[in-house]
Amino acid sequence: DGLFVVPSAWGLPTFHPECLSAYAYSKLLETNDKVFPVSSAAALKFESPLLVDKDSSLRGLSNIVKHYKSKNLSTNVQRTEKEESEIFAFLSMIDGCILPAIYYDWFVVDANYHQIVQHVFTQNLTFAEKFILPRSLRKRIIKSLADPSSEDGERLYIKAQESFAALSTRLGTNQYFLGDKPSVLDAVVFGHLAPILHAPMPAPARLASMLSQHGNLRSFVERLGQRVASQVYKPPAAPP
């Protein structure tokens, strides 16, 4: 039983945005769930985190969050209806604007894919698997983005930039997004922003550069990383 996630990379316990979000939320809730990294071959087919316990098997971040709530696990904060609506709106923005931009940046931009992303997915694969499995994953991700053109990519970058600005404004000088106690929103923001900052993309590293314009978001990632990472956490380097 435990939480199954894509393996660690780039100084993060898992580099997949949804897996890292589930991992961070589990740590914030202090669930004591064991974390199991899947094999490299499995990671290429692994599109969302998997939580297995004695009662059920849950796949996907939203189902895992609902499961934790059904077990009465929380960060000991009663949220108002307005706050719950705000959390939902920001989670929808992250899923609809930031995650597609990450996938475009990772799988469509050739330099990023060939120099950085492909490598983390192919560790410990056989020679034959390295030629077959990554190609299949990349094709699947690009298809999910509706085979985007460079113009589509620019629109995704713009949406991501606007989303970063909205998150930065909401966070302000607070420690967490809804005050002095964390919520699922903090876990999901960390899960999506940390890989952007930690992935050592070649210049111009557009997403990392745009995100680094918001110092409070970068500080938030470093702060939450120190809290939830099981190993010694090292802050991300500045983008090239």
Side-chain angles (χ1 to χ4, degrees), residues 38-240:
V38 300
S39 67
S40 295
L44 287 161
K45 303 174 184 177
F46 206 74
E47 297 181 359
S48 58
L50 175 67
L51 178 66
V52 178
D53 68 13
K54 60 182 180 180
D55 300 318
S56 54
S57 176
L58 292 306
R59 183 176 293 280
L61 178 61
S62 61
N63 288 327
I64 292 172
V65 170
K66 291 176 184 175
H67 175 75
Y68 284 147
K69 287 184 177 180
S70 73
K71 297 288 187 179
N72 294 318
L73 295 170
S74 71
T75 52
N76 299 318
V77 178
Q78 290 293 325
R79 300 295 179 189
T80 66
E81 185 175 336
K82 180 181 178 181
E83 287 176 329
E84 290 291 347
S85 297
E86 193 171 15
I87 289 173
F88 177 80
F90 274 112
L91 293 181
S92 298
M93 181 190 73
I94 292 167
D95 187 61
C97 299
I98 294 179
L99 186 58
I102 291 174
Y103 281 157
Y104 180 87
D105 198 62
W106 285 11
F107 292 97
V108 180
V109 179
D110 283 333
N112 293 346
Y113 175 75
H114 288 295
Q115 295 182 36
I116 305 299
V117 177
Q118 185 179 24
H119 173 71
V120 297
F121 276 105
T122 56
Q123 299 178 73
N124 304 316
L125 291 183
T126 66
F127 184 77
E129 287 173 334
K130 287 184 179 182
F131 280 94
I132 299 171
L133 296 179
R135 187 177 302 174
S136 175
L137 171 65
R138 191 184 193 196
K139 184 177 180 180
R140 187 169 71 249
I141 294 294
I142 291 175
K143 184 177 181 180
S144 74
L145 295 174
D147 297 311
S149 64
S150 58
E151 290 79 10
D152 294 327
E154 287 302 315
R155 284 190 284 271
L156 289 173
Y157 282 128
I158 290 172
K159 287 184 178 180
Q161 190 170 29
E162 292 170 348
S163 299
F164 296 155
L167 288 171
S168 177
T169 298
R170 183 62 185 88
L171 179 62
T173 58
N174 294 327
Q175 184 174 9
Y176 300 107
F177 278 89
L178 294 176
D180 59 356
K181 296 288 185 180
S183 70
V184 64
L185 178 58
D186 297 282
V188 175
V189 171
F190 173 77
H192 288 71
L193 300 193
I196 292 174
L197 291 175
H198 278 265
M201 297 300 185
R206 291 188 61 181
L207 283 180
S209 295
M210 289 188 295
L211 179 53
S212 292
Q213 293 173 12
H214 304 284
N216 62 339
L217 293 182
R218 187 180 180 90
S219 296
F220 168 82
V221 168
E222 295 177 5
R223 189 164 60 247
L224 211 64
Q226 291 168 352
R227 174 167 177 173
V228 305
S230 57
Q231 73 267 39
V232 177
Y233 177 80
K234 294 182 179 180

Side-chain angles (χ1 to χ4, degrees), residues 8-37:
S8 61
W10 309 328
L12 296 170
T14 171
F15 66 89
H16 186 288
E18 281 203 0
C19 290
L20 186 56
S21 298
Y23 174 96
Y25 195 46
S26 174
K27 294 297 183 181
L28 289 175
L29 294 178
E30 299 180 345
T31 64
N32 294 318
D33 285 332
K34 293 182 178 180
V35 178
F36 300 98

